[in-house]
Amino acid sequence: MDLAARVKEIYEGYNSSIRVVEFINKVSKRLSERGIKAINIMDFCGTHEWTIVHYGLRSLMPKEVSLVAGPGCPICITPGLYVDYMVKLSFEGFKILTYGDAYKLPGTTNSRVKSLYQAKALGGEVEVVYSFIDVIRIARENSLKNYVFFSVGFETTMPAVAIPLYSNAVPRNIMVFTAHRYTPPVMKYLFDEVREVNLSGVIAPGHVSTIIGSSAWSFIPRDYKVTAVVAGFEPVDVLAAVLIVLKQLLVNRPALVNEYARVVKPEGNTYALRAMNEVFERVDSYWRGIGVIKESGAVFKDKYREYDAASQLGLKDSAVVEDVAPGCRCSEVVLGLSKPTDCPLFMAACTPENPVGPCMVGSEGTCRIWAENPPLLTDVELDHSILRKR
Amino acid sequence: MMYMCLGVPARVLNVESKGGLSIAKVSIGGIVKEVINASSEPIAPGDYVIVHAGMAISKIDEGEVEAIFKIWGEVEKVIESS
């Protein structure tokens, strides 16, 4: 078989996935015979959770294995205070540009205008863009207008801003408000502060690792004796990651494994990292519903001050707890402590059309994913009446 | 297309310098878009890249696609010997 046909067979062939599932069952049985019967594997990234839910992968797991959705949804943890700031500016002569994911993100609970989406309906100047290139193009076309780009995301979106700034390619009528967060610190936080999650393995985020490198996760096996697998996003990638975790448990050797070597290098994207390190510095930052996490936030270095909306417009960062709606369990969902179906608001008061909590907003939010791809079978049998409540 | 956090494979059509940036024109399943070339390796027409939030963040290494076979081989060995 030539390469193209083999690749097609791996990623689209039914037999490949079936074979991995058979292995998973075999290894899990061996582990069970040795008394290892509760295996929690965290899928860090929202896109992995989407693959798991959309393709019903939880229904293929042996009863000993639980796939636990993790904090890999940047929209879910973006502070409500930031949304309030952007809403306010949208009525003060600035045009706010942002990614589609952030458009319906709720601000703090006290805020009169709930989101940028509502702000736009009330006459605020807001526009959704696909990328920072669009922002540069729009600002060049209207050089008299002042723009603020609400830049949300983990390490995958940071270079979108960092590279053009580093390359001196950003017009002066753009300022950037950074809500960026680094992912390894939250993983450390989970191991240090949220012990009840009790993980036996981590499926590390594939595209974040493209930027930061697979080696950025080496602290997981080294410091916490847990296997971490950097994985791709096809169903067979996720199944292979589960299998690798089980195999390392069987040989009792925690390891870092890069299953996504076709895209991820150990050292990451050195060009993007250089630009990011040039433009941003790390500070302790607040994660919505979770708290302040050490050295997890990216703010502009002094050199890039003139592009920094926070310092130019006096938008002070602070840990605001009034950004969790009453009853919303998003912060527990993000930490793997609750499932969306445990939340009383899920598909009742909180739906993708009218999200109450941030986990229902972004395409990577666990609640949004569960709402749009009703699971075939979850760890707890899904109560279909929940979906009928709509 | 408006979601930032989705990485998709795309084929490179051309790469050029524009406004101080290296810009790649890519085809994402037939949809043509201009994205920032953020790859740390040189990319050329015909290469496949992962596009994320309007950037080509990585070149897909065809030689590594079959890494998954190696992993299965190792697992088989472990199961047999345990």
Side-chain angles (χ1 to χ4, degrees):
Chain A
M1 234 194 289
D2 70 349
L3 181 67
R6 293 187 73 185
V7 169
K8 202 169 160 57
E9 173 55 30
I10 299 172
Y11 292 101
E12 296 176 15
Y14 177 71
N15 288 336
S16 311
S17 297
I18 290 298
R19 198 165 151 222
V20 185
V21 172
E22 277 169 11
F23 277 141
I24 288 174
N25 278 300
K26 263 189 205 167
V27 181
S28 164
K29 198 161 162 255
R30 292 274 165 90
L31 288 168
S32 179
E33 286 160 10
R34 294 182 189 182
I36 303 172
K37 290 182 180 180
I39 301 159
N40 292 333
I41 302 174
M42 176 167 278
D43 51 296
F44 182 95
C45 174
T47 312
H48 281 139
E49 179 63 14
W50 185 88
T51 301
I52 289 166
V53 176
H54 186 78
Y55 293 101
L57 302 188
R58 281 199 177 86
S59 67
L60 301 174
M61 293 297 123
K63 63 179 189 306
E64 292 84 3
V65 177
S66 300
L67 302 179
V68 183
C73 164
I75 292 294
C76 303
I77 54 84
T78 294
L81 178 66
Y82 295 1
V83 176
D84 291 4
Y85 283 152
M86 294 301 106
V87 165
K88 186 162 177 284
L89 291 176
S90 78
F91 292 106
E92 292 176 351
F94 294 95
K95 185 156 192 172
I96 309 301
L97 304 173
T98 193
Y99 297 114
D101 305 53
Y103 195 41
K104 285 193 176 179
L105 180 65
T108 60
T109 46
N110 308 325
S111 149
R112 206 170 43 82
V113 182
K114 232 176 89 181
S115 61
L116 284 168
Y117 167 69
Q118 241 187 42
K120 184 163 186 166
L122 295 169
E125 291 189 86
V126 180
E127 189 174 331
V128 170
V129 294
Y130 168 60
S131 74
F132 197 60
I133 292 197
D134 294 342
V135 176
I136 293 174
R137 181 183 44 79
I138 292 167
R140 283 215 177 107
E141 285 167 6
N142 306 279
S143 57
L144 297 177
K145 182 87 200 154
N146 287 314
Y147 294 89
V148 174
F149 180 54
F150 184 27
S151 194
V152 182
F154 295 141
E155 293 91 336
T156 34
T157 55
M158 286 186 205
V161 165
I163 290 174
L165 281 172
Y166 181 51
S167 311
N168 209 11
V170 181
R172 298 305 269 272
N173 55 333
I174 297 175
M175 279 186 278
V176 176
F177 185 72
T178 155
H180 290 301
R181 296 289 184 269
Y182 296 96
T183 49
V186 75
M187 204 65 236
K188 282 196 180 97
Y189 177 88
L190 267 163
F191 280 113
D192 292 335
E193 312 287 338
V194 197
R195 303 242 168 102
E196 54 273 43
V197 182
N198 195 19
L199 299 177
S200 305
V202 173
I203 304 177
H207 291 142
V208 161
S209 304
T210 302
I211 305 294
I212 65 176
S214 53
S215 60
W217 304 103
S218 58
F219 70 92
I220 298 179
R222 187 189 64 225
D223 301 344
Y224 302 102
K225 311 295 173 226
V226 167
T227 291
V229 185
V230 175
F233 297 93
E234 298 300 325
V236 72
D237 287 319
V238 176
L239 290 171
V242 170
L243 179 58
I244 293 164
V245 168
L246 298 184
K247 184 204 120 192
Q248 296 308 129
L249 278 175
L250 192 66
V251 296
N252 195 15
R253 205 181 307 133
L256 171 67
V257 179
N258 182 7
E259 186 274 342
Y260 200 28
R262 62 189 188 275
V263 170
V264 174
K265 314 231 163 358
E267 71 278 13
N269 182 330
T270 49
Y271 171 55
L273 285 173
R274 199 182 332 125
M276 282 157 65
N277 292 335
E278 173 71 19
V279 171
F280 296 118
E281 62 189 341
R282 289 170 191 257
V283 290
D284 298 351
S285 281
Y286 171 67
W287 292 52
R288 187 177 197 146
I290 298 176
V292 174
I293 298 181
K294 252 187 124 181
E295 296 190 349
S296 65
V299 296
F300 284 108
K301 285 185 174 167
D302 261 356
K303 196 176 162 193
Y304 292 91
R305 195 165 233 238
E306 59 195 298
Y307 290 102
D308 179 11
S311 68
Q312 294 299 320
L313 304 173
L315 311 175
K316 287 207 165 48
D317 200 0
S318 101
V320 176
V321 285
E322 292 85 26
D323 58 5
V324 178
C328 173
R329 296 176 77 169
C330 184
S331 49
E332 291 168 38
V333 170
V334 162
L335 293 173
L337 298 170
S338 287
K339 298 183 176 69
T341 43
D342 296 334
C343 178
L345 305 183
F346 180 69
M347 296 312 279
C350 184
T351 62
E353 294 76 30
N354 283 303
V356 174
C359 290
M360 190 59 95
V361 178
S363 53
E364 292 203 303
T366 304
C367 295
R368 170 87 177 259
I369 294 167
W370 284 42
E372 291 184 339
N373 303 274
L376 296 176
L377 192 87
T378 60
D379 296 342
V380 286
E381 197 81 36
L382 177 72
D383 177 0
H384 281 276
S385 62
I386 289 166
L387 295 170
R388 261 182 254 121
K389 270 197 235 166
R390 301 175 79 174
Chain B
M1 287 298 284
M2 288 305 197
Y3 292 124
M4 65 196 198
C5 258
L6 200 63
V8 289
R11 189 162 48 86
V12 177
L13 302 176
N14 72 43
V15 184
E16 59 181 2
S17 182
K18 245 189 198 176
L21 282 173
S22 173
I23 299 290
K25 194 183 263 183
V26 298
S27 165
I28 308 168
I31 299 166
V32 175
K33 274 212 94 71
E34 287 196 337
V35 299
I36 297 172
N37 170 19
S39 171
S40 51
E41 291 171 87
I43 56 170
D47 286 343
Y48 280 85
V49 291
I50 294 287
V51 168
H52 197 296
M55 287 175 294
I57 54 171
S58 184
K59 185 174 153 183
I60 299 177
D61 184 344
E62 289 179 34
E64 292 286 355
V65 167
E66 294 183 277
I68 205 164
F69 282 134
K70 277 185 243 159
I71 292 167
W72 292 348
E74 281 169 33
V75 174
E76 259 173 302
K77 255 190 271 165
V78 166
I79 294 175
E80 279 161 17
S81 65
S82 70

